[in-house]
Structures are given as C-alpha cells and as structure tokens.
Amino acid sequence: MEAGNTPRVGAAVRRRRRALDLTLAEVARRSGLSSPFLSQIENDRARPSMRSLQRIADALGTTAVQLLAASDETRTVDVVRAGDDSGLDREARVRPVVRGRHQLHALEFIGEHEADREFRHRNDELMYVADGSVEVEAEGRIHRLGRGDTLLLSGGVRHRWRSTEPGSRVLVVAVGDHVEVVES
C-alpha cells in the first residue's frame, strides 16, 4: 500500500461511536480499555491489537471485521499485497485480505489463535487452512482441520477455533452481515 494510504481504523471507530451517541468514557467502560488509549486509536496515534479491536467492536455492537471494512475505501478492483499495512498493531497476526465494504469479508490469521472467544455470524463463513492445523468447536463437536482443509459454517452457528500448530495460516471468508441472505 502506498504511503498515506494506510487504513484508518480510528476514523471508523469514531464514526461508529458517534453514530451510537456514545462518549469515549462509555466505550472505555464497555470495552475495559482506557479512554486515553481509545482516543489515541480514534486519532490514529495508536494501532489496536486484534484483541483490542474486537473489545472495541463488542462495545460498539459490531465486529472487528466490520470496523476494518469501514476503515477502507471500497474499490472495484484491489490487489492486497502480502506486506501491505493492515492498520493494526504489527503483532496482531491477522490481516484483511479484502478491503472496503463488500458482500464478503476475508481475513488471514497467522500463528497462534486461541479459542477464548465464541463467534456467531448472521451469514455463512468459510474457513480454509493454508498451513498448519486448527480445531474448530461448532454445534458441540470438535473439527480438526489440517493444511488444505475447509469448513463451512452456516449463518447463526456458534463456534470458536484455535490453532494447534505454530505457524498456522487460516483464511476466513464470510458473507457480510449487512447482506440480507434470502433462502429460496
């Protein structure tokens, strides 16, 4: 990404907070993060980790993926290079591979990922293990996935996942929550 074209997740956080008519103090209370840190994020003077971004997203009633998507200008054709700046803390071990607000979201998770958080998305999600291995808990079952394996999770399925091997790389592609999926 060219200089000056780094995603501005802070602006997306500020827009969402203001749209909900919340103060920094209220988001701090809800997220467990400090008001000064949130202010630095909103003013792009600090980059959140993926965990901090998720805590902010929870406090704002959205997801980290949606905040990342809202932080970038939507393009009709966009190449995301492996070394592009994601706008997150360099230690985040996650990067968006689709930028902007589209019908699908895609993130690449690199390295360790713990099953400390349960997810439930409105629409379908696909996990692809590019390297290493992961365990996914969904509907009371553990699914062990290795390199090249995929797992489809229908919308509404509660799940959590974790990497089980150092250096694992997982691509998660999901239909955007703003897309209304109608069953025929």
Side-chain angles (χ1 to χ4, degrees), residues 93 108-113 129-134 161-170:
R93 297 185 320 260
E108 178 186 37
F109 293 85
I110 305 157
E112 289 186 39
H113 182 82
V129 180
D131 282 310
S133 60
V134 300
W161 68 277
R162 70 180 187 92
S163 57
T164 56
E165 212 174 298
S168 293
R169 286 184 32 226
V170 178

Side-chain angles (χ1 to χ4, degrees), residues 16 20 61 70 72 74 79 81 88-89 92 108 116 131-132 136 138 142 147 150 158 164 169 180-181:
R16 177 71 179 175
L20 296 173
D72 242 342
T74 300
V79 175
R81 302 281 181 204
L88 293 174
D89 179 290
E108 178 186 37
D116 58 352
D131 282 310
V136 181
I142 301 291
R147 185 175 189 223
T150 61
R158 292 182 188 279
T164 56
R169 286 184 32 226
E180 186 68 38
V181 176

Side-chain angles (χ1 to χ4, degrees), residues 24 36 54 59 83 89 143 148 161:
L24 274 174
Q54 189 59 58
D89 179 290
H143 304 274
W161 68 277

Side-chain angles (χ1 to χ4, degrees), residues 48-56 114 116:
S49 66
M50 190 62 181
R51 173 168 269 144
S52 292
L53 186 61
Q54 189 59 58
R55 290 169 71 180
I56 294 166
E114 292 298 322
D116 58 352

